[in-house]
Amino acid sequence: MPPFDDLVKLLVICSVIVLPALAITTRFALKPIVDALLRLREGGVLQGERSVGTDVATELRHLRAEVAEVRAEVARLQEVESFHAALRDAPAQSALPPPE
C-alpha cells in the first residue's frame, strides 16, 4: 500500500496547491487577451452575437428616419422662403389710416 499512499499525497498536493496556482496564472495570462477581444467586438471589428442582417436592417431603419427628417426640414424651409418672398413682393402699407 505504500505506492497508493504516495499517489494520494500527490493528488492532495496537486489539488490544494498546484491547481489553484495554475488557475490564477491562467486567469492573469488570459485576461488581457479577453479584454482585447471584447474591445474589438464593441468597436465593430469582430462580429458578435448579432447577425449582419440585423445590423443592416437597423442601419437602414435609421437612414430612412433621417431622410424623413431631412424632407420635413426642407418642406419647412420652403414654407419660410415662400413667406419671405410674399413679404418682399407685397406693397408696403402703412400702419396708420389715411388722413381725412
Side-chain angles (χ1 to χ4, degrees):
M1 282 286 201
F4 184 70
D5 289 340
D6 292 339
L7 184 61
V8 170
K9 289 178 187 177
L10 180 65
L11 288 175
V12 168
I13 290 172
C14 284
S15 64
V16 171
I17 297 173
V18 175
L19 286 178
L22 184 63
I24 291 171
T25 304
T26 305
R27 181 185 180 275
F28 285 120
L30 292 179
K31 186 173 177 12
I33 296 170
V34 171
D35 287 343
L37 289 174
L38 288 175
R39 273 185 261 133
L40 286 174
R41 181 193 242 175
E42 289 173 358
V45 176
L46 296 178
Q47 289 297 325
E49 297 171 356
R50 298 177 293 172
S51 65
V52 176
T54 305
D55 291 340
V56 171
T58 304
E59 186 176 347
L60 184 61
R61 198 174 318 119
H62 289 303
L63 287 174
R64 285 183 177 165
E66 189 174 342
V67 166
E69 289 176 16
V70 168
R71 285 183 178 166
E73 187 67 27
V74 167
R76 277 183 257 142
L77 288 173
Q78 287 174 341
E79 289 176 14
V80 169
E81 184 62 33
S82 65
F83 177 73
H84 285 292
L87 284 178
R88 274 180 286 167
D89 295 340
Q93 297 177 356
S94 66
L96 298 174
E100 296 179 11

Coordinates of all heavy atoms in Angstrom, one line a residue:
M1 N 0.8 -1.2 0.0 CA 0.0 0.0 0.0 C 0.8 1.3 0.0 O 0.2 2.3 -0.2 CB -0.9 0.0 1.2 CG -2.1 -0.8 1.1 SD -3.3 -0.1 0.0 CE -4.7 -0.9 0.5
P2 N 2.1 1.3 0.2 CA 2.8 2.5 0.2 C 2.8 3.3 -1.1 O 2.7 4.5 -1.1 CB 4.3 2.1 0.5 CG 4.2 0.7 1.1 CD 2.9 0.1 0.6
P3 N 2.8 2.6 -2.3 CA 2.6 3.4 -3.5 C 1.3 4.1 -3.6 O 1.2 5.2 -4.1 CB 2.7 2.3 -4.7 CG 3.4 1.1 -4.1 CD 3.0 1.2 -2.6
F4 N 0.2 3.4 -3.1 CA -1.1 4.1 -3.1 C -1.1 5.3 -2.2 O -1.7 6.3 -2.5 CB -2.1 3.1 -2.6 CG -3.5 3.6 -2.7 CD1 -4.1 3.8 -3.9 CD2 -4.2 3.8 -1.5 CE1 -5.4 4.3 -3.9 CE2 -5.5 4.3 -1.5 CZ -6.1 4.6 -2.7
D5 N -0.4 5.3 -1.0 CA -0.3 6.4 -0.1 C 0.4 7.6 -0.8 O 0.0 8.7 -0.7 CB 0.4 6.0 1.2 CG -0.5 5.1 2.0 OD1 -1.7 5.1 1.8 OD2 0.1 4.4 2.9
D6 N 1.5 7.3 -1.5 CA 2.2 8.3 -2.2 C 1.4 9.0 -3.3 O 1.4 10.2 -3.5 CB 3.5 7.7 -2.8 CG 4.5 7.3 -1.8 OD1 4.4 7.8 -0.7 OD2 5.4 6.5 -2.1
L7 N 0.6 8.2 -4.0 CA -0.3 8.7 -5.0 C -1.4 9.6 -4.4 O -1.7 10.7 -5.0 CB -1.0 7.5 -5.8 CG -1.8 7.9 -7.0 CD1 -1.0 8.7 -8.0 CD2 -2.5 6.7 -7.6
V8 N -1.9 9.3 -3.3 CA -2.9 10.1 -2.6 C -2.3 11.4 -2.2 O -2.9 12.5 -2.3 CB -3.6 9.3 -1.4 CG1 -4.4 10.2 -0.6 CG2 -4.4 8.1 -1.9
K9 N -1.1 11.3 -1.6 CA -0.4 12.5 -1.2 C -0.2 13.5 -2.4 O -0.4 14.7 -2.3 CB 0.9 12.2 -0.5 CG 0.8 11.6 0.8 CD 2.1 11.2 1.4 CE 2.0 10.5 2.7 NZ 3.3 10.1 3.3
L10 N 0.2 12.9 -3.5 CA 0.5 13.7 -4.7 C -0.8 14.3 -5.2 O -0.8 15.5 -5.6 CB 1.1 12.8 -5.8 CG 1.5 13.5 -7.1 CD1 2.6 14.5 -6.9 CD2 1.9 12.5 -8.2
L11 N -1.9 13.6 -5.2 CA -3.2 14.2 -5.7 C -3.6 15.3 -4.7 O -4.2 16.3 -5.2 CB -4.2 13.1 -5.8 CG -4.0 12.1 -6.9 CD1 -5.1 11.0 -6.9 CD2 -4.1 12.8 -8.3
V12 N -3.4 15.1 -3.5 CA -3.8 16.1 -2.5 C -3.0 17.4 -2.7 O -3.5 18.5 -2.7 CB -3.7 15.6 -1.0 CG1 -3.8 16.7 0.0 CG2 -4.8 14.5 -0.8
I13 N -1.7 17.2 -2.9 CA -0.8 18.4 -3.1 C -1.2 19.1 -4.4 O -1.3 20.3 -4.4 CB 0.6 17.9 -3.1 CG1 1.1 17.5 -1.7 CG2 1.5 19.1 -3.6 CD1 2.5 16.9 -1.6
C14 N -1.5 18.3 -5.4 CA -1.9 18.9 -6.7 C -3.2 19.7 -6.6 O -3.3 20.8 -7.1 CB -2.0 17.8 -7.8 SG -0.4 17.3 -8.4
S15 N -4.2 19.1 -5.9 CA -5.5 19.7 -5.8 C -5.5 20.9 -4.9 O -6.2 21.8 -5.1 CB -6.5 18.7 -5.4 OG -6.2 18.3 -4.1
V16 N -4.6 20.9 -3.9 CA -4.6 22.0 -2.9 C -3.6 23.2 -3.4 O -3.9 24.3 -3.2 CB -4.2 21.5 -1.5 CG1 -3.9 22.7 -0.6 CG2 -5.2 20.6 -1.0
I17 N -2.5 22.8 -4.0 CA -1.5 23.9 -4.3 C -1.4 24.1 -5.8 O -1.5 25.3 -6.2 CB -0.1 23.5 -3.7 CG1 -0.2 23.4 -2.2 CG2 0.9 24.4 -4.1 CD1 1.0 22.8 -1.5
V18 N -1.2 23.1 -6.6 CA -0.9 23.3 -8.0 C -2.1 23.8 -8.8 O -2.0 24.7 -9.6 CB -0.3 22.0 -8.6 CG1 -0.1 22.1 -10.1 CG2 1.0 21.6 -7.9
L19 N -3.3 23.2 -8.6 CA -4.4 23.6 -9.4 C -4.8 25.0 -9.2 O -5.1 25.8 -10.1 CB -5.6 22.6 -9.2 CG -5.4 21.2 -9.8 CD1 -6.6 20.4 -9.5 CD2 -5.3 21.4 -11.3
P20 N -4.9 25.5 -7.9 CA -5.3 26.9 -7.7 C -4.2 27.9 -8.3 O -4.5 28.9 -8.9 CB -5.4 27.1 -6.2 CG -5.7 25.7 -5.7 CD -5.0 24.8 -6.6
A21 N -2.9 27.5 -8.1 CA -1.9 28.3 -8.7 C -2.0 28.4 -10.2 O -1.8 29.4 -10.9 CB -0.5 27.8 -8.3
L22 N -2.3 27.2 -10.8 CA -2.4 27.2 -12.3 C -3.6 28.0 -12.7 O -3.6 28.7 -13.8 CB -2.5 25.7 -12.7 CG -2.6 25.4 -14.2 CD1 -1.3 25.9 -14.9 CD2 -2.9 24.0 -14.5
A23 N -4.7 27.9 -12.0 CA -5.9 28.7 -12.3 C -5.7 30.2 -12.3 O -6.1 30.9 -13.2 CB -7.1 28.3 -11.4
I24 N -5.0 30.6 -11.2 CA -4.7 32.1 -11.1 C -3.8 32.5 -12.2 O -4.0 33.6 -12.8 CB -4.1 32.3 -9.7 CG1 -5.2 32.1 -8.6 CG2 -3.6 33.7 -9.6 CD1 -4.7 32.2 -7.2
T25 N -2.7 31.7 -12.5 CA -1.8 32.1 -13.5 C -2.5 32.2 -14.9 O -2.3 33.1 -15.6 CB -0.7 31.1 -13.6 OG1 -0.1 31.0 -12.3 CG2 0.4 31.4 -14.6
T26 N -3.4 31.2 -15.1 CA -4.1 31.2 -16.4 C -5.0 32.4 -16.5 O -5.1 33.1 -17.5 CB -4.9 29.9 -16.5 OG1 -4.0 28.8 -16.4 CG2 -5.6 29.8 -17.9
R27 N -5.7 32.8 -15.4 CA -6.6 33.9 -15.4 C -5.8 35.2 -15.7 O -6.2 36.0 -16.6 CB -7.2 34.1 -14.0 CG -8.2 35.2 -14.0 CD -8.8 35.4 -12.6 NE -9.7 36.5 -12.6 CZ -9.3 37.8 -12.4 NH1 -8.1 38.1 -12.2 NH2 -10.2 38.7 -12.3
F28 N -4.7 35.4 -15.1 CA -3.9 36.6 -15.3 C -3.3 36.6 -16.7 O -3.1 37.7 -17.3 CB -2.8 36.8 -14.3 CG -3.4 37.3 -13.0 CD1 -3.2 36.5 -11.8 CD2 -4.1 38.5 -12.9 CE1 -3.7 37.0 -10.6 CE2 -4.6 38.9 -11.7 CZ -4.4 38.2 -10.5
A29 N -3.0 35.4 -17.3 CA -2.4 35.4 -18.6 C -3.5 35.6 -19.7 O -3.2 36.2 -20.7 CB -1.8 34.0 -18.8
L30 N -4.7 35.2 -19.5 CA -5.7 35.3 -20.5 C -6.5 36.6 -20.4 O -7.2 37.0 -21.3 CB -6.7 34.1 -20.4 CG -6.1 32.8 -20.8 CD1 -7.1 31.7 -20.6 CD2 -5.6 32.8 -22.2
K31 N -6.5 37.3 -19.2 CA -7.3 38.5 -19.0 C -7.0 39.6 -20.1 O -8.0 40.1 -20.7 CB -7.1 39.0 -17.6 CG -8.0 40.2 -17.3 CD -7.9 40.6 -15.9 CE -8.7 41.8 -15.5 NZ -9.7 42.3 -16.3
P32 N -5.8 39.9 -20.4 CA -5.5 40.9 -21.5 C -6.1 40.5 -22.9 O -6.6 41.3 -23.6 CB -4.0 41.1 -21.5 CG -3.5 40.5 -20.2 CD -4.5 39.5 -19.8
I33 N -6.0 39.2 -23.1 CA -6.4 38.7 -24.4 C -8.0 38.8 -24.5 O -8.5 39.3 -25.5 CB -6.0 37.2 -24.6 CG1 -4.5 37.2 -24.7 CG2 -6.6 36.7 -25.9 CD1 -3.9 35.8 -24.7
V34 N -8.6 38.4 -23.4 CA -10.1 38.5 -23.4 C -10.6 40.0 -23.5 O -11.5 40.3 -24.2 CB -10.7 37.8 -22.2 CG1 -12.1 38.0 -22.0 CG2 -10.4 36.3 -22.2
D35 N -9.9 40.8 -22.7 CA -10.3 42.3 -22.8 C -10.1 42.8 -24.2 O -10.9 43.6 -24.7 CB -9.4 43.1 -21.8 CG -9.8 42.8 -20.4 OD1 -10.9 42.3 -20.1 OD2 -9.0 43.1 -19.4
A36 N -9.0 42.5 -24.9 CA -8.8 43.0 -26.2 C -9.8 42.5 -27.2 O -10.3 43.2 -28.0 CB -7.4 42.5 -26.7
L37 N -10.2 41.2 -27.0 CA -11.3 40.7 -27.9 C -12.6 41.4 -27.6 O -13.4 41.7 -28.6 CB -11.4 39.2 -27.7 CG -10.3 38.3 -28.2 CD1 -10.5 36.9 -27.8 CD2 -10.2 38.4 -29.7
L38 N -12.9 41.7 -26.4 CA -14.2 42.4 -26.1 C -14.2 43.8 -26.6 O -15.2 44.3 -27.1 CB -14.4 42.4 -24.5 CG -14.8 41.1 -23.9 CD1 -14.8 41.2 -22.4 CD2 -16.1 40.6 -24.4
R39 N -13.0 44.5 -26.6 CA -12.9 45.8 -27.1 C -13.1 45.8 -28.7 O -13.7 46.6 -29.2 CB -11.6 46.5 -26.8 CG -11.7 47.2 -25.4 CD -10.5 47.9 -25.1 NE -9.7 47.1 -24.2 CZ -8.5 46.8 -24.2 NH1 -7.7 47.3 -25.2 NH2 -7.9 46.0 -23.4
L40 N -12.5 44.8 -29.3 CA -12.7 44.6 -30.7 C -14.1 44.4 -31.1 O -14.6 44.9 -32.1 CB -11.8 43.5 -31.3 CG -10.3 43.8 -31.4 CD1 -9.5 42.6 -31.8 CD2 -10.0 44.9 -32.3
R41 N -14.8 43.6 -30.3 CA -16.2 43.3 -30.6 C -17.1 44.5 -30.4 O -18.0 44.8 -31.2 CB -16.7 42.2 -29.7 CG -18.1 41.8 -29.9 CD -18.6 40.9 -28.7 NE -19.0 39.6 -29.2 CZ -19.4 38.7 -28.4 NH1 -19.4 38.9 -27.1 NH2 -19.7 37.5 -28.8
E42 N -16.8 45.3 -29.3 CA -17.5 46.5 -29.1 C -17.3 47.6 -30.2 O -18.2 48.3 -30.6 CB -17.2 47.1 -27.8 CG -17.7 46.4 -26.6 CD -17.2 46.9 -25.3 OE1 -16.4 47.8 -25.3 OE2 -17.6 46.3 -24.2
G43 N -16.1 47.6 -30.7 CA -15.7 48.5 -31.8 C -16.3 48.1 -33.1 O -16.2 48.9 -34.1
G44 N -16.8 46.9 -33.3 CA -17.4 46.5 -34.5 C -16.5 45.8 -35.4 O -16.8 45.5 -36.6
V45 N -15.2 45.6 -35.0 CA -14.3 44.8 -35.8 C -14.6 43.4 -35.9 O -14.6 42.8 -36.9 CB -12.8 45.1 -35.3 CG1 -11.8 44.2 -36.1 CG2 -12.5 46.5 -35.3
L46 N -15.0 42.8 -34.8 CA -15.4 41.4 -34.7 C -16.9 41.3 -34.7 O -17.6 42.1 -34.0 CB -14.8 40.7 -33.5 CG -13.3 40.6 -33.4 CD1 -12.9 39.9 -32.1 CD2 -12.8 39.8 -34.6
Q47 N -17.5 40.3 -35.3 CA -18.9 40.1 -35.3 C -19.3 39.3 -34.0 O -18.6 38.3 -33.6 CB -19.4 39.2 -36.5 CG -19.3 40.0 -37.8 CD -20.3 41.2 -37.8 OE1 -21.4 41.1 -37.2 NE2 -19.9 42.2 -38.4
G48 N -20.2 39.9 -33.3 CA -20.6 39.2 -32.0 C -21.8 38.3 -32.2 O -21.9 37.6 -33.2
E49 N -22.7 38.4 -31.3 CA -23.9 37.5 -31.4 C -24.9 38.0 -32.4 O -25.8 37.3 -32.9 CB -24.6 37.4 -30.0 CG -23.7 36.8 -29.0 CD -24.2 36.9 -27.6 OE1 -25.3 37.5 -27.4 OE2 -23.6 36.3 -26.7
R50 N -24.8 39.3 -32.7 CA -25.8 39.9 -33.7 C -25.4 39.5 -35.1 O -24.3 39.3 -35.4 CB -25.8 41.4 -33.6 CG -26.2 41.9 -32.2 CD -26.1 43.4 -32.2 NE -24.7 43.8 -32.3 CZ -24.2 45.0 -32.4 NH1 -25.0 46.0 -32.5 NH2 -22.9 45.2 -32.4
S51 N -26.4 39.3 -35.9 CA -26.1 38.9 -37.3 C -25.9 40.1 -38.1 O -26.4 41.2 -37.8 CB -27.3 38.0 -37.8 OG -28.5 38.8 -37.9
V52 N -25.3 39.9 -39.3 CA -25.1 41.1 -40.2 C -26.4 41.6 -40.7 O -26.5 42.8 -40.9 CB -24.1 40.6 -41.3 CG1 -23.9 41.7 -42.3 CG2 -22.8 40.1 -40.7
G53 N -27.3 40.8 -41.0 CA -28.6 41.2 -41.5 C -29.4 42.1 -40.5 O -30.0 43.1 -40.9
T54 N -29.2 41.9 -39.2 CA -29.9 42.7 -38.2 C -29.2 44.1 -38.2 O -29.9 45.1 -38.1 CB -29.8 42.0 -36.8 OG1 -30.3 40.7 -36.9 CG2 -30.5 42.8 -35.8
D55 N -27.9 44.1 -38.3 CA -27.2 45.4 -38.3 C -27.6 46.2 -39.5 O -27.8 47.4 -39.4 CB -25.7 45.2 -38.3 CG -25.2 44.6 -37.0 OD1 -25.9 44.7 -36.0 OD2 -24.1 44.0 -37.0
V56 N -27.7 45.6 -40.7 CA -28.0 46.3 -41.9 C -29.5 46.8 -41.8 O -29.8 47.9 -42.2 CB -27.9 45.3 -43.1 CG1 -28.4 46.0 -44.4 CG2 -26.4 45.0 -43.3
A57 N -30.4 46.0 -41.3 CA -31.8 46.4 -41.1 C -31.9 47.6 -40.2 O -32.6 48.5 -40.4 CB -32.6 45.2 -40.6
T58 N -31.1 47.5 -39.1 CA -31.2 48.6 -38.1 C -30.6 49.9 -38.8 O -31.2 51.0 -38.6 CB -30.3 48.3 -36.9 OG1 -30.9 47.1 -36.3 CG2 -30.4 49.4 -35.8
E59 N -29.5 49.8 -39.5 CA -28.9 50.9 -40.1 C -29.8 51.5 -41.2 O -30.0 52.7 -41.3 CB -27.6 50.5 -40.8 CG -26.8 51.7 -41.3 CD -25.5 51.3 -41.9 OE1 -25.0 50.2 -41.6 OE2 -24.9 52.2 -42.5
L60 N -30.5 50.6 -41.9 CA -31.5 51.1 -43.0 C -32.6 51.8 -42.3 O -33.1 52.9 -42.8 CB -32.0 49.9 -43.8 CG -32.9 50.2 -44.9 CD1 -32.2 51.1 -46.0 CD2 -33.3 48.9 -45.6
R61 N -33.1 51.3 -41.2 CA -34.2 52.0 -40.5 C -33.8 53.4 -40.0 O -34.5 54.3 -40.2 CB -34.6 51.1 -39.3 CG -36.0 51.5 -38.7 CD -36.4 50.5 -37.6 NE -36.1 49.1 -37.9 CZ -35.4 48.3 -37.2 NH1 -34.8 48.8 -36.1 NH2 -35.2 47.1 -37.5
H62 N -32.6 53.5 -39.5 CA -32.1 54.8 -39.1 C -31.9 55.8 -40.3 O -32.2 56.9 -40.2 CB -30.7 54.7 -38.3 CG -30.8 54.0 -37.0 ND1 -31.6 54.5 -36.0 CD2 -30.3 52.9 -36.5 CE1 -31.5 53.8 -34.9 NE2 -30.7 52.8 -35.2
L63 N -31.4 55.3 -41.4 CA -31.3 56.1 -42.5 C -32.6 56.6 -43.1 O -32.7 57.7 -43.5 CB -30.5 55.4 -43.6 CG -29.0 55.2 -43.4 CD1 -28.4 54.3 -44.5 CD2 -28.3 56.5 -43.4
R64 N -33.6 55.7 -43.1 CA -34.9 56.1 -43.5 C -35.5 57.2 -42.6 O -36.1 58.2 -43.1 CB -35.9 54.9 -43.6 CG -35.6 54.0 -44.8 CD -36.5 52.9 -44.8 NE -36.3 52.1 -46.0 CZ -36.7 50.9 -46.2 NH1 -37.5 50.3 -45.3 NH2 -36.5 50.2 -47.3
A65 N -35.3 57.0 -41.3 CA -35.8 58.1 -40.4 C -35.1 59.4 -40.6 O -35.7 60.5 -40.6 CB -35.6 57.6 -38.9
E66 N -33.8 59.3 -40.9 CA -33.0 60.6 -41.1 C -33.5 61.2 -42.4 O -33.6 62.5 -42.5 CB -31.6 60.2 -41.2 CG -30.7 61.5 -41.2 CD -29.2 61.1 -41.1 OE1 -28.9 60.0 -40.7 OE2 -28.4 62.0 -41.5
V67 N -33.8 60.5 -43.4 CA -34.2 61.0 -44.7 C -35.6 61.7 -44.5 O -35.9 62.8 -45.0 CB -34.3 59.9 -45.8 CG1 -35.1 60.4 -47.0 CG2 -32.9 59.5 -46.2
A68 N -36.5 61.1 -43.7 CA -37.8 61.7 -43.4 C -37.6 63.0 -42.7 O -38.3 64.0 -43.0 CB -38.6 60.7 -42.6
E69 N -36.7 63.0 -41.7 CA -36.4 64.3 -41.0 C -35.9 65.4 -42.0 O -36.3 66.5 -41.9 CB -35.4 64.1 -39.9 CG -36.0 63.2 -38.7 CD -34.9 63.0 -37.7 OE1 -33.8 63.6 -37.7 OE2 -35.1 62.1 -36.9
V70 N -35.0 65.0 -42.8 CA -34.5 66.0 -43.8 C -35.6 66.5 -44.7 O -35.6 67.7 -45.0 CB -33.3 65.4 -44.6 CG1 -32.9 66.2 -45.8 CG2 -32.1 65.1 -43.7
R71 N -36.4 65.6 -45.2 CA -37.5 66.1 -46.1 C -38.5 67.0 -45.3 O -38.9 68.0 -45.9 CB -38.3 64.8 -46.6 CG -37.6 64.1 -47.6 CD -38.4 63.0 -48.2 NE -37.7 62.3 -49.2 CZ -38.0 61.1 -49.7 NH1 -39.0 60.4 -49.2 NH2 -37.3 60.6 -50.7
A72 N -38.8 66.7 -44.1 CA -39.6 67.6 -43.3 C -39.0 69.0 -43.1 O -39.6 70.0 -43.2 CB -40.0 67.0 -41.9
E73 N -37.7 69.0 -42.9 CA -37.0 70.2 -42.7 C -37.0 71.0 -44.0 O -37.1 72.3 -44.0 CB -35.6 69.9 -42.2 CG -34.8 71.2 -41.8 CD -35.3 71.9 -40.6 OE1 -35.9 71.2 -39.7 OE2 -35.1 73.1 -40.5
V74 N -36.8 70.4 -45.1 CA -36.8 71.1 -46.4 C -38.2 71.7 -46.7 O -38.3 72.8 -47.1 CB -36.4 70.1 -47.5 CG1 -36.7 70.7 -48.9 CG2 -34.9 69.8 -47.4
A75 N -39.2 70.9 -46.3 CA -40.6 71.5 -46.5 C -40.8 72.7 -45.7 O -41.4 73.7 -46.1 CB -41.6 70.4 -46.2
R76 N -40.3 72.7 -44.4 CA -40.4 73.9 -43.5 C -39.6 75.0 -44.1 O -40.1 76.2 -44.1 CB -40.0 73.5 -42.1 CG -41.1 72.9 -41.3 CD -40.6 72.6 -39.9 NE -40.3 71.2 -39.9 CZ -39.4 70.6 -39.2 NH1 -38.6 71.3 -38.5 NH2 -39.2 69.3 -39.3
L77 N -38.5 74.8 -44.6 CA -37.7 75.8 -45.2 C -38.3 76.4 -46.4 O -38.3 77.6 -46.7 CB -36.3 75.3 -45.5 CG -35.3 75.1 -44.3 CD1 -34.1 74.4 -44.8 CD2 -35.0 76.4 -43.6
Q78 N -39.0 75.6 -47.2 CA -39.7 76.1 -48.4 C -40.9 77.0 -48.0 O -41.1 78.0 -48.6 CB -40.2 74.9 -49.3 CG -39.1 74.3 -50.0 CD -39.5 73.0 -50.8 OE1 -40.6 72.5 -50.5 NE2 -38.7 72.6 -51.8
E79 N -41.6 76.6 -46.9 CA -42.6 77.4 -46.5 C -42.1 78.8 -46.0 O -42.7 79.8 -46.3 CB -43.4 76.7 -45.3 CG -44.2 75.5 -45.7 CD -44.8 74.8 -44.5 OE1 -44.8 75.4 -43.4 OE2 -45.3 73.7 -44.7
V80 N -41.1 78.8 -45.3 CA -40.5 80.0 -44.7 C -40.0 80.9 -45.9 O -40.2 82.1 -45.9 CB -39.3 79.7 -43.8 CG1 -38.5 81.0 -43.4 CG2 -39.9 79.1 -42.5
E81 N -39.4 80.3 -46.9 CA -38.9 81.0 -48.1 C -40.1 81.7 -48.8 O -40.0 82.8 -49.3 CB -38.1 80.1 -49.0 CG -37.5 80.9 -50.2 CD -36.5 81.9 -49.7 OE1 -35.8 81.8 -48.7 OE2 -36.4 83.0 -50.5
S82 N -41.2 80.9 -49.0 CA -42.3 81.5 -49.7 C -42.9 82.6 -48.9 O -43.4 83.6 -49.5 CB -43.3 80.4 -50.0 OG -43.9 79.9 -48.8
F83 N -42.9 82.5 -47.6 CA -43.5 83.5 -46.7 C -42.6 84.8 -46.9 O -43.1 85.9 -47.0 CB -43.5 83.1 -45.3 CG -43.9 84.1 -44.3 CD1 -45.3 84.5 -44.2 CD2 -43.0 84.8 -43.5 CE1 -45.7 85.4 -43.3 CE2 -43.4 85.7 -42.6 CZ -44.8 86.1 -42.5
H84 N -41.3 84.7 -46.9 CA -40.4 85.8 -47.0 C -40.6 86.4 -48.4 O -40.6 87.7 -48.6 CB -39.0 85.4 -46.8 CG -38.6 85.2 -45.3 ND1 -38.6 86.3 -44.4 CD2 -38.3 84.1 -44.7 CE1 -38.3 85.8 -43.3 NE2 -38.1 84.5 -43.4
A85 N -40.8 85.6 -49.4 CA -41.0 86.1 -50.8 C -42.3 86.9 -50.9 O -42.4 88.0 -51.5 CB -41.0 85.0 -51.8
A86 N -43.3 86.4 -50.2 CA -44.6 87.1 -50.2 C -44.5 88.5 -49.5 O -45.1 89.5 -49.9 CB -45.7 86.3 -49.5
L87 N -43.7 88.5 -48.4 CA -43.5 89.8 -47.7 C -42.7 90.8 -48.6 O -43.0 92.0 -48.6 CB -42.7 89.5 -46.4 CG -43.4 88.9 -45.3 CD1 -42.5 88.7 -44.1 CD2 -44.6 89.8 -44.8
R88 N -41.7 90.3 -49.3 CA -41.0 91.2 -50.2 C -41.8 91.7 -51.3 O -41.7 92.9 -51.7 CB -39.7 90.5 -50.8 CG -38.5 90.5 -49.9 CD -37.4 89.8 -50.5 NE -37.8 88.4 -50.4 CZ -37.2 87.4 -51.0 NH1 -36.3 87.6 -51.9 NH2 -37.6 86.1 -50.9
D89 N -42.7 90.9 -51.9 CA -43.4 91.3 -53.1 C -44.7 92.1 -52.7 O -45.2 92.8 -53.5 CB -43.9 90.0 -53.9 CG -42.7 89.3 -54.4 OD1 -41.6 89.9 -54.6 OD2 -42.8 88.1 -54.8
A90 N -45.1 92.1 -51.5 CA -46.3 92.8 -51.1 C -46.0 94.3 -51.0 O -44.9 94.7 -50.6 CB -46.8 92.3 -49.7
P91 N -47.0 95.1 -51.5 CA -46.8 96.6 -51.4 C -46.7 97.0 -49.9 O -47.4 96.5 -49.1 CB -48.0 97.2 -52.1 CG -49.0 96.1 -52.0 CD -48.3 94.8 -52.0
A92 N -45.9 98.0 -49.7 CA -45.7 98.5 -48.3 C -47.0 99.2 -47.9 O -47.4 100.2 -48.6 CB -44.5 99.4 -48.2
Q93 N -47.6 98.8 -46.9 CA -48.8 99.5 -46.4 C -48.5 100.1 -45.1 O -47.8 99.5 -44.2 CB -50.0 98.5 -46.2 CG -50.4 97.9 -47.5 CD -51.5 96.8 -47.3 OE1 -51.9 96.6 -46.2 NE2 -52.0 96.3 -48.4
S94 N -48.9 101.3 -44.9 CA -48.6 102.0 -43.6 C -49.6 101.5 -42.6 O -50.7 101.1 -42.9 CB -48.8 103.5 -43.8 OG -50.1 103.8 -44.0
A95 N -49.2 101.6 -41.4 CA -50.0 101.1 -40.3 C -51.0 102.2 -39.9 O -52.0 101.9 -39.3 CB -49.1 100.8 -39.1
L96 N -50.8 103.4 -40.3 CA -51.8 104.5 -40.0 C -52.9 104.6 -41.1 O -52.6 104.4 -42.2 CB -51.0 105.8 -39.9 CG -49.9 105.9 -38.8 CD1 -49.2 107.2 -39.0 CD2 -50.5 105.8 -37.5
P97 N -54.1 104.9 -40.6 CA -55.1 105.1 -41.6 C -54.9 106.3 -42.5 O -54.2 107.3 -42.0 CB -56.4 105.2 -40.8 CG -55.9 105.6 -39.4 CD -54.5 105.1 -39.3
P98 N -55.4 106.4 -43.7 CA -55.2 107.6 -44.5 C -55.8 108.9 -43.8 O -56.9 108.8 -43.1 CB -55.9 107.3 -45.8 CG -56.8 106.2 -45.5 CD -56.3 105.5 -44.3
P99 N -55.2 110.0 -44.1 CA -55.8 111.3 -43.4 C -57.1 111.6 -44.0 O -57.4 111.4 -45.2 CB -54.7 112.3 -43.7 CG -53.9 111.8 -44.8 CD -54.1 110.3 -44.8
E100 N -58.0 112.2 -43.3 CA -59.3 112.6 -43.8 C -59.4 114.1 -44.1 O -58.9 115.0 -43.9 CB -60.4 112.3 -42.7 CG -60.5 110.8 -42.5 CD -61.5 110.5 -41.4 OE1 -62.3 111.4 -41.0 OE2 -61.6 109.4 -41.0

